Amino acid sequence: MEEIAIYPARTIVTMDPTQPDVEAIAVRDGRVLAAGSLEECKSWGAHRVDDRFADHVIVPGMIEAHAHSLEGAFALLPYVGWFDRHNAEGGITHGIRTYDGLLDRLRELDAETAGSSEPIVVGGFDPIYFVDEERLTRDHLDRVSAERPIFVFHASAHLATVNTAMLVQHEITRDATTPGVARDGDGEPNGELQEIPAMSLAISALVIILKMMNDPEAIEVLGQICANQGITTLTDLAASGLRDPASQKLWHDVVDRDDYPARILQRHVATIPPGGETWADAADVMQQLAADDTDKLRTAGLKVILDGSIQGWTAKMDWPGYYTGTDHGLWITAPDQVLDMCRPFHQRMINIHTHCNGDLTIDVWIDAVEQLLRESAWLDHRHTVQHSQLTKAHHFRRMARLGMCANIFTNHIWYWGDQHRDLTIGPERARRMEPCATAEREGVSFSIHSDANVTPLGHLHTMWCAVNRVTASGRVLGEYERISAESALRAVTLGAAYQLHADDEFGTLECGKAADFTVLEENPLTVDPMTIRDIGVWGTVVGGIPFAAKRP
Ligand SMILES: [Zn+2]
């Protein structure tokens, strides 16, 4: 039997309402043996007292229930986004706020790698922050280099802008028939490549990004970012290994190691290859994959994507539609296919999380869940509305009756709240977007998320957004949708665990649960709410093993 380790701390927030704060936690076999007074912890027998957290605050391990493994790969790409962003070394990479700054950074990279014929690939560019400028095109990038191909990957991961050298290298001309090759007034490609088919034309750049996605180094970096941000479990909402045993093995080889700092849950997007396979076959494949689950790397269920993004004007909006701009609303999955796709998964009791950005999608998904339940009862399904940005009170009332959960994209308030107010949906709907207080009031269990790499991973920031609802310009957007710090902490611990069917194992600190902690410098429940995002992170404990954050 493993020796008992006892961790006293300045404050321990258990999120267990039967004993909300305790003096110490005893750990054995990777699990919480006892939470209580130091004497009670010692009474279990032979032990060592580990004082390293004596001046720190322990909360239950924070769970990011909607992120992407691209967060690791993105950290390996030079960053050119608008906002300052944390890097894997624990430091900050500063945002770039002018085209001149962007072009200077690209010139620097060109000089640093002079002589290489590899394309220059950078990530994080966000065009919505440059609405006062003309759209970024190849003409801008051509000022950096006429010979070296350049690929500027946008923050959305749906678009890229390339220079003329890249267009020439891959023979992307006015005759291109692939949809998504944007054009200038004369019909010539202007350098913007929209969505995967068009971006795939610039294959020399895409190969670099794809290689990074399944690169052990990117998986390592992802784990270190989790420790730096206090995340003990991360759910990848678009895992790609469903039919790729080699990539699954690679993930297991890295994540299953005792010294890997996070648990990774993989939620798979299902596809059926042409040639007679059915959704039932895809559901069988997913069930078989779950047989390889380990303590650290597990299958989380099905991901369905219904529409696009609000800030890209590609979300499907109900009446009266967008406030300004052109409605490019896009069904990624046709509403009449949702039932056929989801039915075999639901019948096998595989939990389903569905991306719903625009408010038109939410009715589609709730209707589908209601029909699935009429056909085959699964009372504890916990099917979830992901993003849930524009879910209304009447939706939440139906979701509560049907046993559905929500995962709300609160980081939007800070990153795009001003744009939603002024450009995409207008002031009234912007005030009620990311409706955490309404979800709470109507009795829907919810979590909140970063969608990293879309916005940076870090639950203190995500909690800060839900509690304060302050935009980048300093405006409070929707004061009545603010929630308490305690509700926000519950959302990123027990709320996330519940919608992952893992609340028996994670989410609170009590006897029998995993010894997963987030270790902080201050208590997020008692600091000034405006300082929650500034709280220092010592690191994490995962399965009883401490992982310190990297400091610059
Ligand atoms: Zn996502």
Side-chain angles (χ1 to χ4, degrees):
M1 201 160 50
E2 196 183 290
E3 190 190 24
I4 297 167
I6 297 176
Y7 295 99
R10 170 157 61 95
T11 304
I12 300 177
V13 179
T14 66
M15 296 308 281
D16 168 11
T18 68
Q19 49 168 13
D21 51 75
V22 296
E23 205 177 14
I25 295 179
V27 174
R28 192 179 74 200
D29 304 328
R31 300 165 79 171
V32 174
L33 178 66
S37 70
L38 191 55
E39 289 314 308
E40 288 167 353
C41 289
K42 287 178 173 174
S43 71
W44 277 90
H47 59 264
R48 66 186 162 84
V49 174
D50 188 327
D51 272 324
R52 76 178 84 193
F53 305 137
D55 293 330
H56 289 85
V57 176
I58 293 177
V59 303
M62 291 181 177
I63 301 169
E64 173 50 273
H66 186 152
H68 295 275
S69 57
L70 256 183
E71 173 78 358
F74 247 62
L76 300 174
L77 284 181
Y79 174 71
V80 297
W82 177 267
F83 289 95
D84 292 351
R85 188 181 176 95
H86 61 77
N87 55 42
E89 284 71 47
I92 295 289
T93 304
H94 289 291
I96 292 178
R97 301 197 162 192
T98 62
Y99 280 181
D100 284 342
L102 171 68
L103 302 187
D104 284 345
R105 180 79 183 107
L106 288 166
R107 285 186 194 103
E108 246 171 60
L109 290 164
D110 186 31
E112 282 167 21
T113 55
S116 165
S117 58
E118 291 258 290
I120 300 170
V121 181
V122 296
F125 176 74
D126 191 350
I128 203 168
Y129 273 96
F130 294 92
V131 279
D132 296 334
E133 305 263 3
E134 57 173 305
R135 189 92 174 166
L136 187 77
T137 66
R138 68 181 192 172
D139 297 333
H140 298 99
L141 302 181
D142 286 348
R143 287 183 226 150
V144 175
S145 178
E147 297 90 38
R148 187 92 181 264
I150 297 173
F151 185 94
V152 177
F153 201 18
H154 294 203
S156 67
H158 289 269
L159 303 174
T161 308
V162 305
N163 65 346
T164 301
M166 180 70 86
L167 294 172
V168 168
Q169 183 187 354
H170 296 294
E171 295 170 15
I172 305 168
T173 66
R174 61 182 301 123
D175 303 324
T177 53
T178 309
V181 176
R183 305 185 184 250
D184 62 21
D186 301 326
E188 290 293 331
N190 67 12
E192 185 166 307
L193 303 174
Q194 301 161 342
E195 301 298 332
I196 304 273
M199 287 194 288
S200 302
L201 298 174
I203 189 70
S204 60
L206 216 65
V207 159
I208 291 176
I209 293 168
L210 289 175
K211 217 172 87 198
M212 277 180 184
M213 281 175 74
N214 278 321
D215 181 341
E217 191 190 348
I219 304 174
E220 298 281 1
V221 167
L222 179 67
Q224 187 59 50
I225 295 174
C226 285
N228 295 351
Q229 299 298 323
I231 303 288
T232 54
T233 295
L234 177 138
T235 313
D236 180 358
L237 259 277
S240 57
L242 190 57
R243 294 165 195 278
D244 185 355
S247 115
Q248 276 307 106
K249 180 174 182 314
L250 190 137
W251 275 88
H252 273 295
D253 285 348
V254 178
V255 176
D256 286 342
R257 287 194 337 247
D258 281 346
D259 64 352
Y260 190 78
R263 301 178 199 270
I264 305 288
L265 306 189
Q266 297 179 313
R267 194 171 285 284
H268 295 271
V269 177
T271 49
I272 38 176
E277 213 176 296
T278 64
W279 290 114
D281 297 325
D284 284 338
V285 171
M286 194 174 291
Q287 224 165 17
Q288 285 152 18
L289 197 70
D292 297 332
D293 282 0
T294 58
D295 211 29
K296 300 282 284 295
L297 184 73
R298 309 178 192 184
T299 308
L302 177 68
K303 159 92 175 282
V304 176
I305 305 174
L306 281 186
D307 67 340
S309 75
I310 301 170
Q311 73 274 27
W313 284 270
T314 53
K316 288 302 281 187
M317 295 295 293
D318 203 348
W319 188 91
Y322 287 96
Y323 187 49
T324 71
T326 310
D327 183 345
H328 298 290
L330 202 71
W331 288 111
I332 308 279
T333 304
D336 61 2
Q337 286 172 11
V338 173
L339 264 181
D340 286 344
M341 183 194 282
C342 293
R343 185 177 289 113
F345 292 89
H346 176 83
Q347 285 170 341
R348 286 163 182 72
M349 294 173 76
I350 294 172
N351 170 249
I352 308 170
H353 284 210
T354 297
H355 162 124
C356 301
N357 265 330
D359 45 5
L360 206 56
T361 61
I362 301 161
D363 293 296
V364 171
W365 178 221
I366 297 174
D367 287 348
V369 172
E370 187 161 25
Q371 180 59 29
L372 292 171
L373 291 170
R374 286 167 66 93
E375 294 175 12
S376 49
W378 176 19
L379 296 183
D380 198 22
H381 54 85
R382 310 184 197 185
H383 294 325
T384 294
V385 177
Q386 279 289 353
H387 296 322
S388 201
Q389 299 201 69
L390 297 172
T391 308
K392 296 172 185 166
H394 74 274
H395 294 128
F396 282 120
R397 285 191 282 273
R398 285 186 74 196
M399 290 163 64
R401 298 286 288 183
L402 294 169
M404 297 175 72
C405 302
N407 195 358
I408 300 171
F409 199 169
T410 51
N411 276 21
H412 259 260
I413 300 288
W414 168 255
Y415 286 102
W416 294 288
D418 295 316
Q419 285 77 8
H420 289 314
R421 181 184 185 279
D422 300 337
L423 299 172
T424 65
I425 57 176
E428 185 200 340
R429 288 180 295 175
R431 278 196 296 273
R432 64 174 87 219
M433 74 186 307
E434 323 307 344
C436 294
T438 302
E440 191 166 44
R441 194 167 52 240
E442 301 299 346
V444 171
S445 178
F446 68 97
S447 189
I448 52 181
H449 66 274
S450 66
D451 202 10
N453 57 298
V454 176
T455 71
L457 189 69
H459 265 336
L460 288 168
H461 187 275
T462 302
M463 286 174 62
W464 179 90
C465 290
V467 170
N468 298 295
R469 296 184 65 94
V470 170
T471 69
S473 71
R475 170 191 284 127
V476 174
L477 192 67
E479 58 180 306
Y480 298 108
E481 286 294 351
R482 291 186 295 201
I483 55 172
S484 68
E486 187 176 355
S487 293
L489 184 59
R490 188 179 305 108
V492 299
T493 53
L494 193 57
Y498 181 79
Q499 59 187 240
L500 293 163
H501 282 270
D503 52 317
D504 56 337
E505 200 179 353
F506 309 120
T508 59
L509 296 174
E510 56 185 291
C511 177
K513 289 208 179 181
D516 286 13
F517 323 147
T518 297
V519 184
L520 304 171
E521 308 283 354
E522 299 294 337
N523 182 353
L525 305 190
T526 55
V527 296
D528 171 357
M530 277 302 284
T531 66
I532 290 174
R533 66 175 176 179
D534 306 320
I535 295 173
V537 177
W538 178 89
T540 59
V541 173
V542 177
I545 302 172
F547 295 97
K550 262 196 190 169
R551 311 262 172 181

